[in-house]
Amino acid sequence: PTYNQRQFIDYTLYSLWTQTYSNIEFVISDDCSTDGTYERVLEWEMFLAQKGKVIVHQQPQNMGIASNYNWLFAHCSGDIIVVNEGDDVSLENRIERLVECYESTDVLFVQSDFDFITDHGVYPSNEKAERSRYGRADYRLKKKPYCITGNSMSFRRCLVDKFPPIKADTPWVDDAIGRRALLMGKFLIIKDKLMLYRIHNNNTSFEGMGRGEKRLRFLRQDLSDVNFAYKQGIISIRDFIVIRASVWLEMLITRLNTHRWYRILRGRK
């Protein structure tokens, strides 16, 4: 996905063009950029075509993050979907390493480690997972020692094919897909640093994270997926009751944290 990332898009597309893995389908959807991002992507199309099939699309109007992602997922034909935001950089062996993980395990979601990149250089990330494999038990409140990050996300397409499209107002598509993998019990984090996550003034990833209406919108998506997974027989009634209660409790805590008097009592502004 791309949106107003003209100043970074060359770095992003070059990193994809130089991938060591050869069987790649590039699907790029620009969310109605106004800074020339889409026009620059079109100039790269002939180079990306040297590596595989290329689909370039521009939304007729700004659709928002979730709707743009839904379009992308619907137009990917491969079984493994590797996400690369329009301002981030994939190291040249990224896709090859991820494919190796899928071929050697039964996981549905693989996330790699990453470093940060700014105008001043590359800096190490401090995000560390306690272990590599995660499953349904980790869905419960206070038992999520992982950090799902969209910049390093990849997954098998069944995580979008078996569920309804992501709700248009969902702020964090990566978390929604990652939690679906947890519902199905097959989530993997690898220590390989395969991405450079770009930090700049227009980042939206951490804006309001964990608090307020944005968090509630995400939890409503979460609850919808849990309900759907139970109706489709993906999770048992026991898991459904426990996980649904966990999500409801998380929603309650989020609502309390946004309430003025509750925050005053806890000594917060």
Side-chain angles (χ1 to χ4, degrees):
T2 62
Y3 178 65
N4 285 350
Q5 293 156 326
R6 173 62 183 85
Q7 67 185 110
F8 308 120
I9 196 66
D10 284 338
Y11 300 100
T12 297
L13 296 178
Y14 180 80
S15 76
L16 298 177
W17 182 55
T18 56
Q19 289 295 303
T20 57
Y21 192 75
S22 58
N23 186 22
I24 304 175
E25 176 188 54
F26 300 98
V27 184
I28 303 169
S29 179
D30 181 77
D31 200 13
C32 202
S33 293
T34 57
D35 67 345
T37 299
Y38 175 68
E39 290 74 16
R40 187 56 176 166
V41 170
L42 291 177
E43 293 176 10
W44 270 93
E45 188 173 3
M46 62 179 291
F47 296 100
L48 295 176
Q50 298 172 8
K51 303 284 290 188
K53 179 181 177 182
V54 183
I55 299 174
V56 178
H57 171 75
Q58 185 177 46
Q59 302 291 357
Q61 61 186 23
N62 185 264
M63 304 292 290
I65 296 173
S67 295
N68 197 33
Y69 263 115
N70 283 333
W71 189 97
L72 284 165
F73 297 155
H75 289 82
C76 292
S77 63
D79 180 52
I80 298 172
I81 297 175
V82 179
V83 173
N84 200 115
E85 301 276 357
D87 52 359
D88 297 328
V89 176
S90 287
L91 301 190
E92 62 180 12
N93 66 325
R94 182 191 178 203
I95 296 178
E96 183 176 10
R97 179 69 181 97
L98 292 173
V99 171
E100 289 174 356
C101 291
Y102 287 107
E103 290 179 344
S104 61
T105 67
D106 64 344
V107 296
L108 300 177
F109 187 105
V110 181
Q111 174 181 302
S112 71
D113 199 354
F114 59 92
D115 284 330
F116 294 111
I117 183 171
T118 70
D119 292 339
H120 305 291
V122 176
Y123 303 90
S125 165
N126 293 321
E127 289 290 351
K128 300 297 178 185
E130 293 182 359
R131 60 186 191 278
S132 59
R133 289 292 294 259
Y134 293 87
R136 202 164 291 150
D138 298 298
Y139 208 99
R140 301 172 188 177
L141 189 64
K142 302 299 183 185
K143 289 191 176 182
K144 303 189 195 72
Y146 57 89
C147 179
I148 303 173
T149 53
N151 67 294
S152 62
M153 173 175 69
S154 70
F155 56 92
R156 289 197 181 274
R157 67 170 307 111
C158 63
L159 293 181
V160 292
D161 286 347
K162 290 187 176 181
F163 288 82
I166 302 291
K167 294 179 182 295
D169 65 346
T170 299
W172 306 310
V173 174
D174 49 353
D175 268 286
I177 299 295
R179 290 206 187 193
R180 288 176 178 182
L182 287 174
L183 281 175
M184 301 181 78
K186 299 176 180 181
F187 183 110
L188 176 69
I189 295 179
I190 58 177
K191 295 181 179 179
D192 308 51
K193 293 197 172 187
L194 303 177
M195 288 289 299
L196 297 178
Y197 174 60
R198 191 175 296 278
I199 302 297
H200 54 88
N201 292 334
N202 295 323
N203 280 121
T204 58
S205 299
F206 304 118
E207 183 182 337
M209 183 170 285
R211 183 187 296 177
E213 180 57 32
K214 203 170 188 180
R215 182 70 180 172
L216 289 173
R217 292 202 309 270
F218 165 71
L219 290 172
R220 285 193 283 269
Q221 170 68 55
D222 201 9
L223 193 62
S224 175
D225 284 341
V226 172
N227 291 337
F228 185 83
Y230 171 65
K231 291 177 181 178
Q232 297 299 310
I234 295 173
I235 59 176
S236 67
I237 187 169
R238 178 183 179 278
D239 286 329
F240 171 69
I241 292 171
V242 172
I243 294 173
R244 182 180 169 87
S246 172
V247 177
W248 272 110
L249 182 57
E250 198 168 353
M251 292 178 74
L252 175 61
I253 292 173
T254 301
R255 290 181 187 277
L256 286 173
N257 280 331
T258 59
H259 195 284
R260 179 171 178 268
W261 293 110
Y262 179 79
R263 293 177 61 77
I264 291 174
L265 288 174
R266 296 197 63 182
R268 297 179 181 178
K269 294 182 179 180

